[in-house]
Amino acid sequence: RLTEEAFRSGEFQAREKNHFFKSLLDALPIRLFWKDLSSTFLGCNRLFAEDAGFQVPEEMIGLSDNDMGWKDQAARYRRDDLAGMDSGKPRLRYEELQTAPDGKQIWLSTSKVPLRNAEGAIIGVLGCYEDITHRKWVEEQQLKAQKVESLESLAGGIAHQFNNMLMTIMGNVALAKALLPPDHPASERLTKAETGVMQAKELTSEFLTFARG
């Protein structure tokens, strides 16, 4: 009876430890997974399983990246796994694209380290990633805004220079008209030139409007 009670107590403690470990993994705000030497999944946490389109992590055990929605990237993932296991060196926080089960492209910040047993021998790979799609989108929008701002500055600079040139032309045309009698054949030409300069000045105003945003 004592042996049976001790066994049941040990079994209960083991279940409690397993439940605590699983709860801890599922509470992590990152996606966590581990694979064997052949890049077959041995386990993962809840967030990773959900990203892969599964209800619970246990459904992924025994599968590989070829069975996932991101199978197009499976060969690259396997190369990364094997490179880390062969070298014994971790690869941390590198960015990569992944195809989600719904077909959307998402950005990941991934880390992978060799998984070792108690004797220090490499038996697989432990990996985690963070979905940084929103951060990449924000960075892209900031870059676009910087490009637009640069374009606005360029347009404003060109418009001001062009406006200065027009004023020079306008001044010389007006001076030329003043030096000629009203019935001179060139007066009509100069009047048309003035009209053209005024139309170009309106175009400059449009450039300046764009330059202000």
Side-chain angles (χ1 to χ4, degrees), residues 1-198:
R1 288 175 63 85
L2 289 173
T3 302
E4 288 176 354
E5 288 177 6
F7 178 78
R8 284 196 294 269
S9 176
E11 195 176 49
F12 174 77
Q13 290 178 7
R15 284 200 303 269
E16 285 295 299
K17 288 179 180 179
N18 184 60
H19 176 72
F20 174 77
F21 180 66
K22 185 176 184 303
S23 299
L24 183 65
L25 292 179
D26 290 344
L28 292 174
I30 59 173
R31 281 73 171 169
L32 189 70
F33 61 91
W34 50 100
K35 305 176 183 177
D36 63 15
L37 292 172
S38 65
S39 285
T40 299
F41 285 103
L42 297 174
C44 65
N45 67 348
R46 180 181 53 81
L47 283 179
F48 184 87
E50 290 176 354
D51 275 7
F54 295 92
Q55 296 293 324
V56 293
E58 288 74 17
E59 292 181 279
M60 293 194 60
I61 297 175
L63 302 180
S64 71
D65 288 307
N66 285 307
D67 303 308
M68 305 301 159
W70 55 77
K71 60 184 178 181
D72 291 342
Q73 291 89 39
R76 171 161 56 86
Y77 291 165
R78 179 175 171 79
R79 285 196 302 270
D80 290 343
D81 295 343
L82 295 178
M85 291 186 285
D86 290 342
S87 67
K89 297 179 180 179
R91 190 180 177 199
L92 306 176
R93 293 183 295 276
Y94 59 94
E95 296 180 359
E96 58 184 352
L97 270 173
Q98 184 184 86
T99 303
D102 59 4
K104 292 181 179 179
Q105 293 285 303
I106 60 176
W107 277 99
L108 311 178
S109 175
T110 305
S111 296
K112 290 182 179 178
V113 298
L115 188 61
R116 300 177 185 271
N117 61 15
E119 288 73 36
I122 294 175
I123 59 172
V125 62
L126 173 67
C128 68
Y129 71 80
E130 180 184 1
D131 189 337
I132 59 170
T133 306
H134 180 69
R135 193 192 81 190
K136 295 290 287 187
W137 179 83
V138 171
E139 290 175 353
E140 183 180 346
Q141 297 308 306
Q142 289 175 341
L143 182 59
K144 286 182 179 179
Q146 290 172 358
K147 288 181 178 179
V148 170
E149 187 177 349
S150 298
L151 189 57
E152 289 172 355
S153 298
L154 178 63
I158 293 174
H160 281 296
Q161 291 182 25
F162 189 54
N163 195 53
N164 292 337
M165 293 177 185
L166 288 176
M167 292 301 96
T168 301
I169 295 171
M170 193 72 169
N172 281 283
V173 169
L175 180 60
K177 282 185 66 176
L179 296 173
L180 295 174
D183 57 347
H184 195 282
S187 292
E188 184 181 353
R189 298 287 186 179
L190 291 172
T191 300
K192 289 182 178 180
E194 281 183 317
T195 303
V197 171
M198 293 304 297

